[in-house]
Amino acid sequence: MKLGLQVSNFTWPDTTEGIGPTFARIATDADDAGMASLWVMDHFFQISMVGPPENAMLEGYTALAYAAGVTSRITLGTLVTGVTYRHPGLLVKTVTTLDVLSSGRAWLGIGAAWNEEEHRGLGVPYPGTSERFERLEETLRLAHQMWADDDSAFDGTHYQLERPLNHPQAISTPHPKILIGGGGEKKTLRLVAQYADACNIFDMGPEKVKAKYDVIRGHCADVGRDYDEIEKTVLSRADFATESDDQLVERFGALGEIGTDHVIMGNAGIVGFEKPGYLDRVPGLLAQLNPSS
């Protein structure tokens, strides 16, 4: 099993000037600890589940590019980009740039978007649910086309690109991994089966997570996709102040038993997460979760 880290909160006791150095140290600590991935939310206001909108929030791809410059191994992605935030051609170009400059460590994490407050606050159009999913599918189609080095015209319902040229191409082969976030069974998980390299499900406990995997398996059968090709990731949390290694191994191990490949630990609401040494227990957890490696 792989472990990842999501940084969703940048409101730390230090001043604004301290955000950069603290985030850099968290990224390097995660890299040094053997974590597989580093994620930031793609939001412009802090989300209500974490804190008030006025709390500190960094733009996702700038933050990941900064993290790429101070790390060497860990993969980098947003969990996840709302499809409404960026024109899809520019989004693919942005992720490609991150991939090239990080020597092949970028993900495209994407979803249908939901936070209407920040859309309205910043003047970003927020179409209805059906249209957002239509835009998501067109963006996924375009990503596959651009990463196949096909610059022929793209004529979608919502997006028309005369020449979706993407040079240089990504270093990741065949392209940066595409992760779709969300658990909607009719639309989101169908798109996972059709277009994604990975899914991301909230940690609802092994039984409920497995039910989502079973839905993906069914969609894969419908579209002729190998279910085992899809990396199963779960967004969970690990509060080292309150949970022992044995408790975490038991919880994450139970997710592994139902097919989870990659647990991404979020820091929302965890006190002291930003302090030096917080990730020191990660190598031991990885050793217990992967005893034969």
Side-chain angles (χ1 to χ4, degrees):
M1 174 178 284
K2 295 183 283 189
L3 293 180
L5 180 68
Q6 183 206 41
V7 182
S8 57
N9 177 24
F10 299 94
T11 302
W12 299 315
D14 206 350
T15 62
T16 299
E17 288 77 9
I19 291 176
T22 299
F23 180 57
R25 183 185 46 72
I26 291 169
T28 56
D29 285 353
D31 199 33
D32 293 343
M35 302 193 86
S37 60
L38 177 69
W39 308 81
V40 295
M41 297 195 301
D42 193 19
H43 286 291
F44 304 105
F45 296 175
Q46 183 55 274
I47 61 174
S48 60
M49 296 81 82
V50 179
E54 296 82 8
N55 277 8
M57 178 53 59
L58 301 181
E59 191 280 319
Y61 290 100
T62 310
L64 292 174
Y66 179 69
V70 298
T71 58
S72 61
R73 185 197 54 81
I74 199 165
T75 59
L76 307 158
T78 60
L79 202 63
V80 292
T81 286
V83 71
T84 49
Y85 294 145
R86 297 169 181 82
H87 189 283
L90 300 182
L91 174 62
V92 173
K93 185 68 174 179
T94 298
V95 176
T96 301
T97 299
L98 178 63
D99 195 70
V100 169
L101 297 181
S102 67
S103 299
R105 294 188 283 138
W107 291 77
L108 169 58
I110 195 164
W114 62 270
N115 191 352
E116 186 172 3
E117 179 183 18
E118 64 188 356
H119 285 78
R120 291 184 178 276
L122 296 176
V124 178
Y126 186 70
T129 302
S130 294
E131 182 176 328
R132 297 202 309 277
F133 274 97
E134 290 170 1
R135 289 178 179 271
L136 176 57
E137 183 159 12
E138 288 190 19
T139 298
L140 292 164
R141 287 170 45 210
L142 181 64
H144 279 278
Q145 176 180 327
M146 290 178 68
W147 279 328
D149 204 10
D150 176 359
D151 66 354
S152 59
F154 182 91
D155 187 18
T157 301
H158 302 286
Y159 302 112
Q160 295 80 43
L161 289 77
E162 290 186 5
R163 191 188 181 198
L165 180 66
N166 187 40
H167 287 176
Q169 278 289 311
I171 290 175
S172 295
T173 54
H175 54 71
K177 287 184 178 179
I178 298 171
L179 176 147
I180 297 177
E185 297 184 0
K186 293 182 179 179
K187 293 183 178 180
T188 301
L189 299 186
R190 175 183 62 80
L191 293 174
V192 168
Q194 287 184 278
Y195 299 104
D197 303 289
C199 65
N200 183 256
I201 307 294
F202 287 120
D203 187 355
M204 305 173 287
E207 184 176 340
K208 291 182 179 179
V209 172
K210 183 180 182 300
K212 298 297 184 182
Y213 293 166
D214 289 342
V215 172
I216 296 172
R217 189 186 297 274
H219 285 308
C220 285
D222 290 341
V223 301
R225 177 84 184 278
D226 182 356
Y227 169 79
D228 292 330
E229 290 179 356
I230 297 169
E231 183 170 344
K232 271 69 75 176
T233 81
V234 170
L235 177 61
S236 188
R237 52 187 273 126
D239 190 341
F240 293 150
T242 61
E243 293 181 275
S244 68
D245 285 5
D246 287 345
Q247 288 172 319
L248 291 168
V249 169
E250 180 179 3
R251 185 155 59 84
F252 294 165
L255 290 170
E257 289 174 1
I258 55 99
T260 304
D261 304 297
H262 192 157
V263 173
I264 299 168
M265 304 184 306
N267 74 324
I270 295 178
V271 176
F273 167 86
E274 75 287 351
K275 294 181 179 179
Y278 189 85
L279 299 176
D280 286 351
R281 288 165 56 187
V282 168
L285 287 174
L286 286 167
Q288 291 186 68
L289 289 165
N290 302 285
S292 61
S293 62

